[in-house]
Structure formats: C-alpha cells, structure tokens
Amino acid sequence: MQKRSTFGSKFGAIAAAAGSAIGLGNIWRFPYVTGENGGAAFIIIYLICTIAIGLPLLLTEFSIGRFTNRNVFGAFKVLKPRSKWSLIGVLGIATAFVILSFYSVVAGWTMNFLAESVINNFAGKNSSQIQEGFGGFVASGWRPIIWSIMFIAMTAYIIISGVEKGIERYNKILMPVLLVILLILVVNSAFLSGFKDGINFLFSPDFSKINGKVVLEALGQAFFSLSLGMGTMITYGSYIRSNDNMISTAGSVALTDTIIALLAGVAIFPAVFSFGINPTSGPDLVFITLPNIFLQMPGSYFLSVLFFTLLLIAALTSSVSIMEVLAAYCTEELKMSRRRAGVLIAGVIMVISSMCCISQMPESSIRIAGMNLFDLFDTLSANYMMIFGAFLTTLFAGWFWTKSKLRGEFTSGGKYGVKIFPVYYFIVKFVSPVMISLIFLSQIGLLGF
Ligand code: PHE
C-alpha cells in the first residue's frame, strides 16, 4: 500500500489547521455577530466556549483522525465497523458540499472587491453608490458566478498539488502574510479617532446583555470558527505525525484563531465608530460598510487592497480544508487519483455554487423554506449540520469509544498531557454533549431562550 501523506513538520500542521480555522468566520462573521450581540460581553462568552468546549472537541477530532489515519467516513468505519456511526462521515461529507458551495460565493465577492480595489473603482463614490454597486453585482448573477468558479479552481489547484506540497506549503506561506496584513490594519486603526470607542465596545463588557441566545450564538461561532463538527479537523488530524504533541498543536490553533478574530475586531470597529456607523449592521458590514469607511480615510487605496487580500487569503486556506474532506474521501474510499478527485469535486461545487448565485438574483424563483439557496446553505450548515455533527462526535468519543484508546492518542502514547486528560475527558463525556444539545434544541425551536 502507498504510504499515507502527513504534514512534514509540526509548524506545517499548525499552519494548515490554523489556516482552516482562520477564515471568513473570523474576519467577516465574527465582527458582525459581535456587533449584533452587544460586543464585549459576547466576546467573553465566546472565549469561554472556545476554551471549554471548542478546544476539547478539536482535540477529539484530531485524536480520531490520527488514530484511524483516515478520512471522515473511513475513520468511523475503522472505529466501529458495520455500525451506524459512519453516518457521521456521511453527514460531514454532505456538510462539506453545503459549506463550500456558499463559502465560495462569498469568497468570489471578495475577489471581485479585491479587483475593484486594485483598479481603484471605489474612488469618488458615495455610500449609496457603493451600496448600489454591491447590489447590482449580486443581482447580475453571472458576475458572482465567474468569480466563484475562479475561486473554486484555485482551491482545487492547491488540493491537487497534495497534502505536503499543496496544503502545507501554501498555508506556510499565506498564514504569515495574513498576520502581517492584519497587523498593518490594526496599527492603522490605532490612529483613528474612534479607536477608544471601538476598543471599549470590544473589551468593556456590559453583563446585562448576556442571555441564553447570546450564549448559543457564542458557542455556534466558536464551532464555526474552529472548523469543528464536519470532519475537517479529523481529516487534518490524520495528517499529524504520530509523535507530535497534539495538545500544543491544538492549543496553538485555538489561540491563533482567537487572536486573529480579536485583531480583526480591533482593525474594524474603531473605523466603524470613527465614521459614526452602527456596529450592528450585520453581514454587510465587510462588503458595504468597510469600502465606505476606507474611502474616508487617508491611504484608502492601500487599505482596501490590503483588507480584501486578507479576506481572500483567509477564505482560500479555509476552503482548501473543506475541499480536503471530500478529496480524502474520494481518494481513500473511492480509490480515485488526487487529480481526478479534485477535478470532479470542483466541477460539482461549481454547479451548486452557481445555483446559489442564481438564486440570489432578485427575479429568481429558487426558494426553499422561504430562503434563497445561499441563505439556506449558510443557515443549514452552521446552525444545524455542524452542531449535530459536533454532538455526535463528542457523544461517540465520550461514550462509545474505548477510553484507553482515546487517552493513548490524546497523550501521544503517554508522552504529553497525561495530567490534563481527566479534565478533558470529563468535558467530552458530560459537559460538551449537554451544552451542544442545548444549542441544538434551541436552534430547532424546541427550547426557547
Ligand atoms: N473555520 C472557517 C472560518 O472561520 C470555516 C470553516 C468551517 C472551515 C468548517 C472548515 C470547516 O471561516
């Protein structure tokens, strides 16, 4: 049998998993969800969720992946042959299709905005022109389709290049670039008049704002941001070398992911406050509000080019990790070559994401449950499929997998983190299943908060 690929170094593994975690979720979703949920108090709950539930689940997914050395479907087949647990794999694969289809649409918008920034197309426009520009772009249907097809082709190119020569290599280059760009934007924001207000909004909590819904939103954001509940981290875990310290790898990933989200907040909110824009403006924050704000700032040309480059890098390294869930399945279970798998998956995603773009045109009649396909896929994946996947995964690890095997993998054969294993195991067995079922029940409306 051919030797299975692994990441070549621990830094490579961290860069790849952090590249997956750091995505549109940090730079597009985190700021607007924070804005909608009252700022600092939400952030505190989000941090608690990340440390207490997200990080343990990340370790569980890494353990399952590295123990089985398989893709998400194969992993559960190895752990419990001929049982229904492989359905977690099927769910993960379905979720990957769903997320990738709408994620590449937003990534396509990002590419379009980057191109417009580069040719200085925003210059001289007022805010209603920017808003109309964005509306007209989405309404055209064909323009977002072309950009998202290009984005999917880029993603597939990296996948076809391989685990070490593609995924690891590009992440090792792109993640440091992302950090440098973000730091430039943060420094810029420190000179804005709204810096103090922005920082206060992010870091001085008003605890009266915390309620059940805020807690649930925070947990959902923590899962989405750490790429949990759909097999991405199982797949990447399977490429971590068996003697690497998995705990510090996972810890570094969770820490970088959180720091980047906070820095994105620091880069964005002072600008929002400096120009008197409402921080609760929602998903449009990045695509309509920011170009607007940039226009009013000195150096706007460079700021918008840098910002959309940042967003594109974040989107690309995450979508690579989603496509790898599918590619690993096709190569290992269906015995396809990587090239054939990449081409096939990209083709399917191109068709579905084009349908998402078409369904966003105002005259489109594609509607399911009152939503266009784009909104449906967004809601379906983040609010239902990933949470359900996360619940089944933690349930499996806590109650249906042999404790000694989980401990062996978690501690890399007794080498690291032996003392913290009991705490971790308690969370996996009791805390996580209870907390996740609470959010899930509230999402499907069985529990009112
Ligand atoms: N974590 C990514 C982000 O923050 C999104 C993602 C979800 C990536 C699921 C992989 C799997 O944008």
Side-chain angles (χ1 to χ4, degrees):
M1 207 178 117
Q2 209 194 349
K3 195 177 159 289
R4 199 167 182 280
S5 323
T6 58
F7 293 130
S9 62
K10 188 172 160 198
F11 174 68
I14 295 175
S20 167
I22 298 163
L24 297 171
N26 302 57
I27 299 162
W28 165 66
R29 198 170 189 273
F30 175 77
Y32 91 74
V33 178
T34 303
E36 284 176 344
N37 288 285
F42 169 83
I43 293 183
I44 291 182
I45 308 289
Y46 162 76
L47 292 179
I48 296 175
C49 290
T50 299
I51 296 166
I53 301 177
L55 182 57
L57 188 58
L58 178 58
L59 280 159
T60 305
E61 293 204 8
F62 275 174
S63 302
I64 292 177
R66 194 171 70 171
F67 181 84
T68 57
N69 257 315
R70 288 286 192 295
N71 62 87
V72 62
F73 180 79
F76 289 96
K77 223 172 62 182
V78 166
L79 289 170
K80 292 271 168 199
R82 284 178 300 280
S83 77
K84 294 238 162 38
W85 288 105
S86 345
L87 282 177
I88 302 184
V90 177
L91 181 66
I93 288 163
T95 312
F97 271 111
V98 170
I99 301 191
L100 204 48
S101 302
F102 84 86
Y103 208 82
S104 46
V105 174
V106 184
W109 297 349
T110 307
M111 284 174 79
N112 172 71
F113 270 69
L114 177 58
E116 291 201 36
S117 304
V118 169
I119 59 170
N120 211 3
N121 208 16
F122 294 123
K125 291 205 169 132
N126 62 28
S127 64
S128 66
Q129 283 168 321
I130 289 186
Q131 188 145 3
E132 277 164 27
F134 180 64
F137 167 73
V138 172
S140 77
W142 64 271
R143 288 170 59 204
I145 289 181
I146 291 180
W147 286 111
S148 67
I149 285 182
M150 286 199 294
F151 178 79
I152 296 164
M154 266 163 56
T155 308
Y157 172 77
I158 297 180
I159 291 295
I160 291 171
S161 308
V163 172
E164 202 177 340
K165 296 214 170 64
I167 302 176
E168 180 173 356
R169 181 161 152 237
Y170 285 98
N171 273 298
K172 280 202 313 211
I173 303 169
L174 292 174
M175 291 328 284
V177 176
L178 176 140
L179 192 64
V180 170
I181 298 183
L182 189 55
L183 289 177
I184 296 175
L185 294 172
V186 167
V187 170
N188 171 69
S189 113
F191 291 104
L192 295 174
S193 60
F195 186 66
K196 229 174 125 236
D197 289 338
I199 295 296
N200 271 341
F201 180 75
L202 284 170
F203 300 112
S204 53
D206 170 0
F207 287 103
S208 67
K209 295 226 170 91
I210 297 180
N211 55 30
K213 183 181 162 289
V214 171
V215 177
L216 302 177
E217 284 275 348
L219 186 55
Q221 173 63 19
F223 282 170
F224 187 81
S225 194
L226 286 174
S227 313
L228 297 172
M230 51 154 297
T232 302
M233 293 305 187
I234 293 182
T235 310
Y236 274 15
S238 74
Y239 303 138
I240 298 179
R241 296 178 305 185
S242 56
N243 47 359
D244 275 351
N245 179 345
M246 219 167 52
I247 302 167
S248 65
T249 303
S252 314
V253 171
L255 190 70
T256 357
D257 183 55
T258 311
I259 291 177
I260 298 282
L262 294 176
L263 286 179
V266 174
I268 290 171
F269 283 109
V272 169
F273 282 99
S274 299
F275 297 101
I277 286 164
N278 197 342
T280 59
S281 65
D284 289 349
L285 190 70
V286 160
F287 289 100
I288 295 178
T289 315
L290 280 189
N292 237 321
I293 294 175
F294 288 148
L295 273 185
Q296 305 172 46
M297 287 158 67
S300 64
Y301 178 81
F302 292 104
L303 289 175
S304 58
V305 170
L306 283 178
F307 180 78
F308 288 108
T309 308
L310 169 79
L311 204 57
L312 179 61
I313 293 177
L316 184 62
T317 51
S318 295
S319 73
V320 161
S321 74
I322 309 175
M323 197 181 274
E324 181 59 20
V325 170
L326 303 170
Y329 169 76
C330 290
T331 52
E332 287 169 13
E333 304 300 316
L334 310 178
K335 309 283 177 241
M336 287 182 195
S337 69
R338 256 189 113 72
R339 171 177 294 274
R340 177 180 268 251
V343 171
L344 184 81
I345 297 162
V348 175
I349 302 286
M350 283 175 187
V351 173
I352 314 179
S353 76
S354 300
M355 281 160 55
C356 282
C357 295
I358 292 174
S359 84
Q360 282 183 313
M361 295 164 68
E363 64 272 27
S364 154
S365 55
I366 310 178
R367 284 250 166 323
I368 298 174
M371 284 182 262
N372 65 38
L373 282 189
F374 178 88
D375 294 336
L376 178 77
F377 285 2
D378 183 354
T379 315
L380 202 62
S381 57
N383 293 0
Y384 298 93
M385 300 171 87
M386 293 175 85
I387 291 175
F388 195 46
F391 174 71
L392 292 177
T393 306
T394 193
L395 196 68
F396 174 83
W399 297 88
F400 296 89
W401 195 17
T402 323
K403 185 175 171 183
S404 57
K405 289 188 178 155
L406 178 56
R407 187 198 287 114
E409 200 56 60
F410 178 93
T411 59
S412 308
K415 277 209 285 281
Y416 313 103
V418 179
K419 288 217 182 78
I420 53 172
F421 181 77
V423 182
Y424 157 80
Y425 196 66
F426 177 79
I427 294 179
V428 169
K429 204 172 170 86
F430 301 106
V431 182
S432 302
V434 171
M435 285 298 291
I436 302 172
S437 357
L438 287 181
I439 21 173
F440 191 65
L441 291 178
S442 90
Q443 293 287 10
I444 57 175
L446 286 181
L447 212 64
F449 280 103

